[in-house]
Amino acid sequence: EEKGEAKKDTGASEGKKVSKAHPFQKIEFLVRDWQNFDTEDESDIAGMEEEMVAYLEHVTAERAASDLKDTRDQINSCFEEITCFMLTHPGFAVIKNKYEGDTSKIETLFMGLLDRYCQRVFDTTGIDGSAPRLGPKTVRGRELSAVELGTYIKSYAQMFEQIGAHFPKAETMLEATSKANNVNAINSSTETYTELMNVVAGPQSHDYHQRDVLMAKHKEASSRALLAFDEMANFGSRSSIEEARDNVMRKIAKDYEVFLSLNDGRNPLLGFETYLLPLFVAAISFILRWIADFSCSSWSQTCRASSEVLSHIYMVVFFFLVIVATTKAKQISDLLDRGKAAFRLLTDSPAKQKRE
């Protein structure tokens, strides 16, 4: 009985080479309980590997019959390299209930093939002068980060959970792969937008930007983020890609509101009304008192009462501002900094317009 399982791997080795314009690097079929090796020498692992290559070429070759043709075409179109490896039966001792894991009871040929298979899978230096098989995982030529690879693993795990014990169809695997790729594209593009906007108006930024300047930066960062999304989300269902792109745009819009709020919080004129209004009242009261004292006669009871009321008003405002200053020293310091920034903003704008 032959039982096979598909195993995706990285790197390049002997096997059936196909075009490099495919989305995935490699698929390797691991076959259990293979009994049809022609070689009689159990130590001739290299000869057995040559038989594996020949058998794979025979199975995947074009045939006149249409049996499994769509499956072969789908595999050939998806993977850059297709290989297989065959393991013999490990021995009847290991299938008994009393077997406790003693490796000495496992068939020698099975152990030799298993050792060779592990070397092939985890090779980082190159076996027999060939290129290393274990390398960065890529999808459509783009290397994946550890987080992105985790997204693919979760998507495939959910796929197998949904279909149960059945082997997934090629369309189902493509859908799962496309879903994971779209998720990674969303995360990568929104991260691109956030990184660009953090430089301009992020939590670590201290400069205030006018609304039109911030909007221009937002449009530039949005364009670069959507470009990054389009470069990644380039296969699978068009409707799923469009839906993912809409999610990116919605998230960018929400993030822009956050950056806009952070930028408004750095407005040098923000909060001046809290202090300008009392100062304005005090100034008007002082001027009116000065006018009343200068123009009214000293014997006028009305003038003296008005002068005292006005003096009380600006004195109350003065002590109010003193109390505020003592209880909100940090806010006052920030206010002075904003005042300096506002002055620079007002003085730099005409100079900039003249230069332009």
Side-chain angles (χ1 to χ4, degrees):
E1 179 186 5
E2 294 180 14
K3 298 180 181 179
E5 64 178 81
K7 174 179 169 297
K8 278 183 262 185
D9 198 355
T10 57
S13 69
E14 70 280 5
K16 182 178 179 180
K17 293 282 185 176
V18 291
S19 171
K20 293 296 181 182
H22 299 73
F24 308 114
Q25 292 160 287
K26 178 176 179 176
I27 184 171
E28 183 162 79
F29 295 95
L30 179 61
V31 182
R32 288 192 329 190
D33 303 346
W34 183 255
Q35 303 176 18
N36 301 322
F37 285 123
D38 293 331
T39 179
E40 298 293 336
D41 185 1
E42 294 190 355
S43 63
D44 187 13
I45 303 296
M48 296 179 188
E49 287 184 299
E50 292 177 0
E51 292 185 36
M52 298 175 195
V53 174
Y55 182 77
L56 178 65
E57 292 177 350
H58 169 72
V59 171
T60 57
E62 291 291 337
R63 304 180 187 179
S66 59
D67 61 310
L68 301 179
K69 182 178 185 303
D70 292 340
T71 301
R72 289 196 299 272
D73 291 343
Q74 185 74 34
I75 293 173
N76 285 322
S77 65
C78 287
F79 297 94
E80 297 175 358
E81 183 181 0
I82 304 169
T83 62
C84 74
F85 197 88
M86 302 168 180
L87 295 174
T88 58
H89 194 281
F92 293 104
V94 302
I95 63 175
K96 296 180 179 179
N97 292 333
K98 63 180 181 179
Y99 178 68
E100 297 180 349
D102 186 358
T103 56
S104 64
K105 295 181 180 181
I106 301 176
E107 291 289 337
T108 304
L109 178 57
F110 177 87
M111 292 294 292
L113 289 169
L114 181 62
D115 177 68
R116 179 64 170 180
Y117 180 69
C118 291
Q119 293 180 31
R120 285 163 51 105
V121 171
F122 299 104
D123 170 49
T124 58
T125 58
I127 299 177
D128 300 330
S130 60
R133 293 170 53 91
L134 189 62
K137 180 65 181 175
T138 65
V139 173
R140 287 189 175 270
R142 178 182 173 275
E143 291 188 6
L144 302 181
S145 66
V147 175
E148 292 172 343
L149 181 59
T151 303
Y152 280 96
I153 295 174
K154 290 179 182 178
S155 181
Y156 292 139
Q158 291 174 358
M159 176 191 67
F160 281 103
E161 182 180 6
Q162 292 171 358
I163 65 176
H166 302 286
F167 191 81
K169 297 181 180 179
E171 294 83 359
T172 307
M173 294 192 68
L174 180 62
E175 181 182 349
T177 304
S178 175
K179 177 182 176 182
N181 188 66
N182 289 342
V183 171
N184 287 333
I186 292 174
N187 294 336
S188 178
S189 56
T190 52
E191 184 179 347
T192 298
Y193 174 82
T194 302
E195 289 178 354
L196 293 173
M197 290 299 292
N198 273 337
V199 177
V200 180
Q204 303 302 322
S205 178
H206 302 287
D207 297 330
Y208 169 75
H209 301 277
Q210 296 183 2
R211 285 290 183 97
D212 56 342
V213 175
L214 189 64
M215 176 57 71
K217 296 292 185 181
H218 160 69
K219 291 181 178 179
E220 179 185 354
S222 298
S223 298
R224 294 178 63 177
L226 292 176
L227 179 61
F229 175 85
D230 293 337
E231 289 177 350
M232 284 189 62
N234 51 13
F235 70 94
S237 169
R238 193 68 224 170
S239 59
S240 299
I241 294 176
E242 290 297 333
E243 182 180 355
R245 201 174 196 273
D246 291 340
N247 289 337
V248 173
M249 297 177 68
R250 284 194 294 268
K251 192 173 189 311
I252 286 177
K254 291 181 180 180
D255 289 346
Y256 175 67
E257 294 298 327
V258 175
F259 287 116
L260 187 63
S261 176
L262 291 173
N263 184 67
D264 289 343
R266 302 186 189 99
N267 189 342
L269 301 178
L270 182 67
F272 265 88
E273 65 277 3
T274 305
Y275 305 95
L276 289 179
L277 182 60
L279 288 173
F280 178 76
V281 172
I284 294 297
S285 300
F286 180 82
I287 293 173
L288 291 176
R289 186 196 176 195
W290 181 82
I291 293 174
D293 292 344
F294 181 77
S295 59
C296 293
S297 301
S298 59
W299 50 266
S300 175
Q301 185 66 27
T302 302
C303 286
R304 287 199 300 271
S306 299
S307 177
E308 290 177 359
V309 170
L310 293 171
S311 65
H312 290 160
I313 290 175
Y314 68 73
M315 289 302 295
V316 167
V317 172
F318 172 76
F319 284 111
F320 166 75
L321 293 177
V322 170
I323 294 173
V324 170
T326 56
T327 56
K328 296 185 177 182
K330 180 64 171 62
Q331 289 85 339
I332 296 297
S333 176
D334 293 341
L335 183 64
L336 293 176
D337 293 337
R338 287 177 181 173
K340 295 177 183 178
F343 178 76
R344 290 196 301 268
L345 187 65
L346 295 174
T347 55
D348 290 346
S349 296
K352 183 178 179 181
Q353 292 177 358
K354 289 181 180 180
R355 289 195 300 269
E356 293 177 350

mmCIF file with all atom_site columns, all heavy atoms in Angstrom, residues 15 56 70 98-99 104 144 166 172 190 246:
data_model
loop_
_atom_site.group_PDB
_atom_site.id
_atom_site.type_symbol
_atom_site.label_atom_id
_atom_site.label_alt_id
_atom_site.label_comp_id
_atom_site.label_asym_id
_atom_site.label_entity_id
_atom_site.label_seq_id
_atom_site.pdbx_PDB_ins_code
_atom_site.Cartn_x
_atom_site.Cartn_y
_atom_site.Cartn_z
_atom_site.occupancy
_atom_site.B_iso_or_equiv
_atom_site.pdbx_formal_charge
_atom_site.auth_seq_id
_atom_site.auth_comp_id
_atom_site.auth_asym_id
_atom_site.auth_atom_id
_atom_site.pdbx_PDB_model_num
ATOM 1  N N   . GLY A 1 15  ? 15.482  16.611 -8.703  1.00 0.00 ? 15  GLY A N   1
ATOM 2  C CA  . GLY A 1 15  ? 14.044  16.446 -8.815  1.00 0.00 ? 15  GLY A CA  1
ATOM 3  C C   . GLY A 1 15  ? 13.601  17.034 -10.117 1.00 0.00 ? 15  GLY A C   1
ATOM 4  O O   . GLY A 1 15  ? 14.400  17.378 -10.978 1.00 0.00 ? 15  GLY A O   1
ATOM 5  N N   . LEU A 1 56  ? 9.329   9.675  -10.224 1.00 0.00 ? 56  LEU A N   1
ATOM 6  C CA  . LEU A 1 56  ? 8.593   10.939 -10.225 1.00 0.00 ? 56  LEU A CA  1
ATOM 7  C C   . LEU A 1 56  ? 8.396   11.454 -11.647 1.00 0.00 ? 56  LEU A C   1
ATOM 8  O O   . LEU A 1 56  ? 7.305   11.922 -12.009 1.00 0.00 ? 56  LEU A O   1
ATOM 9  C CB  . LEU A 1 56  ? 9.340   11.977 -9.385  1.00 0.00 ? 56  LEU A CB  1
ATOM 10 C CG  . LEU A 1 56  ? 8.699   13.375 -9.338  1.00 0.00 ? 56  LEU A CG  1
ATOM 11 C CD1 . LEU A 1 56  ? 7.347   13.321 -8.639  1.00 0.00 ? 56  LEU A CD1 1
ATOM 12 C CD2 . LEU A 1 56  ? 9.618   14.378 -8.643  1.00 0.00 ? 56  LEU A CD2 1
ATOM 13 N N   . ASP A 1 70  ? -5.658  17.290 -14.582 1.00 0.00 ? 70  ASP A N   1
ATOM 14 C CA  . ASP A 1 70  ? -5.848  18.612 -13.979 1.00 0.00 ? 70  ASP A CA  1
ATOM 15 C C   . ASP A 1 70  ? -5.007  18.764 -12.714 1.00 0.00 ? 70  ASP A C   1
ATOM 16 O O   . ASP A 1 70  ? -4.437  19.824 -12.459 1.00 0.00 ? 70  ASP A O   1
ATOM 17 C CB  . ASP A 1 70  ? -7.327  18.827 -13.642 1.00 0.00 ? 70  ASP A CB  1
ATOM 18 C CG  . ASP A 1 70  ? -8.181  18.949 -14.903 1.00 0.00 ? 70  ASP A CG  1
ATOM 19 O OD1 . ASP A 1 70  ? -7.606  19.247 -15.968 1.00 0.00 ? 70  ASP A OD1 1
ATOM 20 O OD2 . ASP A 1 70  ? -9.409  18.754 -14.808 1.00 0.00 ? 70  ASP A OD2 1
ATOM 21 N N   . LYS A 1 98  ? 3.320   -3.740 22.051  1.00 0.00 ? 98  LYS A N   1
ATOM 22 C CA  . LYS A 1 98  ? 4.347   -3.741 23.103  1.00 0.00 ? 98  LYS A CA  1
ATOM 23 C C   . LYS A 1 98  ? 5.601   -2.974 22.707  1.00 0.00 ? 98  LYS A C   1
ATOM 24 O O   . LYS A 1 98  ? 6.549   -2.896 23.500  1.00 0.00 ? 98  LYS A O   1
ATOM 25 C CB  . LYS A 1 98  ? 4.717   -5.185 23.464  1.00 0.00 ? 98  LYS A CB  1
ATOM 26 C CG  . LYS A 1 98  ? 5.342   -5.962 22.308  1.00 0.00 ? 98  LYS A CG  1
ATOM 27 C CD  . LYS A 1 98  ? 5.681   -7.380 22.754  1.00 0.00 ? 98  LYS A CD  1
ATOM 28 C CE  . LYS A 1 98  ? 6.340   -8.180 21.621  1.00 0.00 ? 98  LYS A CE  1
ATOM 29 N NZ  . LYS A 1 98  ? 6.690   -9.547 22.053  1.00 0.00 ? 98  LYS A NZ  1
ATOM 30 N N   . TYR A 1 99  ? 5.622   -2.412 21.490  1.00 0.00 ? 99  TYR A N   1
ATOM 31 C CA  . TYR A 1 99  ? 6.810   -1.655 21.056  1.00 0.00 ? 99  TYR A CA  1
ATOM 32 C C   . TYR A 1 99  ? 6.920   -0.375 21.893  1.00 0.00 ? 99  TYR A C   1
ATOM 33 O O   . TYR A 1 99  ? 5.970   0.384  22.037  1.00 0.00 ? 99  TYR A O   1
ATOM 34 C CB  . TYR A 1 99  ? 6.695   -1.298 19.577  1.00 0.00 ? 99  TYR A CB  1
ATOM 35 C CG  . TYR A 1 99  ? 7.863   -0.472 19.074  1.00 0.00 ? 99  TYR A CG  1
ATOM 36 C CD1 . TYR A 1 99  ? 9.136   -1.026 18.975  1.00 0.00 ? 99  TYR A CD1 1
ATOM 37 C CD2 . TYR A 1 99  ? 7.693   0.860  18.718  1.00 0.00 ? 99  TYR A CD2 1
ATOM 38 C CE1 . TYR A 1 99  ? 10.207  -0.279 18.515  1.00 0.00 ? 99  TYR A CE1 1
ATOM 39 C CE2 . TYR A 1 99  ? 8.754   1.618  18.250  1.00 0.00 ? 99  TYR A CE2 1
ATOM 40 C CZ  . TYR A 1 99  ? 10.009  1.048  18.154  1.00 0.00 ? 99  TYR A CZ  1
ATOM 41 O OH  . TYR A 1 99  ? 11.063  1.791  17.701  1.00 0.00 ? 99  TYR A OH  1
ATOM 42 N N   . SER A 1 104 ? 16.678  0.139  17.944  1.00 0.00 ? 104 SER A N   1
ATOM 43 C CA  . SER A 1 104 ? 17.437  -1.011 17.440  1.00 0.00 ? 104 SER A CA  1
ATOM 44 C C   . SER A 1 104 ? 16.529  -2.027 16.761  1.00 0.00 ? 104 SER A C   1
ATOM 45 O O   . SER A 1 104 ? 17.004  -2.874 15.990  1.00 0.00 ? 104 SER A O   1
ATOM 46 C CB  . SER A 1 104 ? 18.208  -1.678 18.591  1.00 0.00 ? 104 SER A CB  1
ATOM 47 O OG  . SER A 1 104 ? 17.306  -2.208 19.557  1.00 0.00 ? 104 SER A OG  1
ATOM 48 N N   . LEU A 1 144 ? 9.431   35.750 3.041   1.00 0.00 ? 144 LEU A N   1
ATOM 49 C CA  . LEU A 1 144 ? 8.459   35.959 4.105   1.00 0.00 ? 144 LEU A CA  1
ATOM 50 C C   . LEU A 1 144 ? 9.165   36.197 5.430   1.00 0.00 ? 144 LEU A C   1
ATOM 51 O O   . LEU A 1 144 ? 10.217  35.627 5.701   1.00 0.00 ? 144 LEU A O   1
ATOM 52 C CB  . LEU A 1 144 ? 7.542   34.741 4.240   1.00 0.00 ? 144 LEU A CB  1
ATOM 53 C CG  . LEU A 1 144 ? 6.732   34.320 3.010   1.00 0.00 ? 144 LEU A CG  1
ATOM 54 C CD1 . LEU A 1 144 ? 5.880   33.111 3.359   1.00 0.00 ? 144 LEU A CD1 1
ATOM 55 C CD2 . LEU A 1 144 ? 5.866   35.456 2.503   1.00 0.00 ? 144 LEU A CD2 1
ATOM 56 N N   . HIS A 1 166 ? -10.526 14.572 4.829   1.00 0.00 ? 166 HIS A N   1
ATOM 57 C CA  . HIS A 1 166 ? -10.387 14.548 3.376   1.00 0.00 ? 166 HIS A CA  1
ATOM 58 C C   . HIS A 1 166 ? -9.169  15.358 2.946   1.00 0.00 ? 166 HIS A C   1
ATOM 59 O O   . HIS A 1 166 ? -8.816  16.365 3.568   1.00 0.00 ? 166 HIS A O   1
ATOM 60 C CB  . HIS A 1 166 ? -11.638 15.113 2.712   1.00 0.00 ? 166 HIS A CB  1
ATOM 61 C CG  . HIS A 1 166 ? -12.885 14.375 3.082   1.00 0.00 ? 166 HIS A CG  1
ATOM 62 N ND1 . HIS A 1 166 ? -13.198 13.126 2.592   1.00 0.00 ? 166 HIS A ND1 1
ATOM 63 C CD2 . HIS A 1 166 ? -13.896 14.713 3.924   1.00 0.00 ? 166 HIS A CD2 1
ATOM 64 C CE1 . HIS A 1 166 ? -14.340 12.723 3.098   1.00 0.00 ? 166 HIS A CE1 1
ATOM 65 N NE2 . HIS A 1 166 ? -14.784 13.670 3.911   1.00 0.00 ? 166 HIS A NE2 1
ATOM 66 N N   . THR A 1 172 ? -9.047  24.627 -3.016  1.00 0.00 ? 172 THR A N   1
ATOM 67 C CA  . THR A 1 172 ? -9.140  24.954 -1.593  1.00 0.00 ? 172 THR A CA  1
ATOM 68 C C   . THR A 1 172 ? -7.807  25.428 -1.049  1.00 0.00 ? 172 THR A C   1
ATOM 69 O O   . THR A 1 172 ? -7.737  26.396 -0.280  1.00 0.00 ? 172 THR A O   1
ATOM 70 C CB  . THR A 1 172 ? -9.618  23.726 -0.801  1.00 0.00 ? 172 THR A CB  1
ATOM 71 O OG1 . THR A 1 172 ? -10.816 23.225 -1.383  1.00 0.00 ? 172 THR A OG1 1
ATOM 72 C CG2 . THR A 1 172 ? -9.879  24.092 0.648   1.00 0.00 ? 172 THR A CG2 1
ATOM 73 N N   . THR A 1 190 ? -0.358  48.487 5.752   1.00 0.00 ? 190 THR A N   1
ATOM 74 C CA  . THR A 1 190 ? -0.709  49.398 6.846   1.00 0.00 ? 190 THR A CA  1
ATOM 75 C C   . THR A 1 190 ? 0.516   49.727 7.702   1.00 0.00 ? 190 THR A C   1
ATOM 76 O O   . THR A 1 190 ? 0.632   50.839 8.223   1.00 0.00 ? 190 THR A O   1
ATOM 77 C CB  . THR A 1 190 ? -1.809  48.773 7.725   1.00 0.00 ? 190 THR A CB  1
ATOM 78 O OG1 . THR A 1 190 ? -1.418  47.455 8.138   1.00 0.00 ? 190 THR A OG1 1
ATOM 79 C CG2 . THR A 1 190 ? -3.111  48.681 6.966   1.00 0.00 ? 190 THR A CG2 1
ATOM 80 N N   . ASP A 1 246 ? -9.970  47.240 0.274   1.00 0.00 ? 246 ASP A N   1
ATOM 81 C CA  . ASP A 1 246 ? -10.907 48.128 0.966   1.00 0.00 ? 246 ASP A CA  1
ATOM 82 C C   . ASP A 1 246 ? -10.615 48.161 2.471   1.00 0.00 ? 246 ASP A C   1
ATOM 83 O O   . ASP A 1 246 ? -10.728 49.222 3.116   1.00 0.00 ? 246 ASP A O   1
ATOM 84 C CB  . ASP A 1 246 ? -12.343 47.678 0.722   1.00 0.00 ? 246 ASP A CB  1
ATOM 85 C CG  . ASP A 1 246 ? -12.778 47.884 -0.726  1.00 0.00 ? 246 ASP A CG  1
ATOM 86 O OD1 . ASP A 1 246 ? -12.140 48.706 -1.424  1.00 0.00 ? 246 ASP A OD1 1
ATOM 87 O OD2 . ASP A 1 246 ? -13.741 47.228 -1.161  1.00 0.00 ? 246 ASP A OD2 1
#
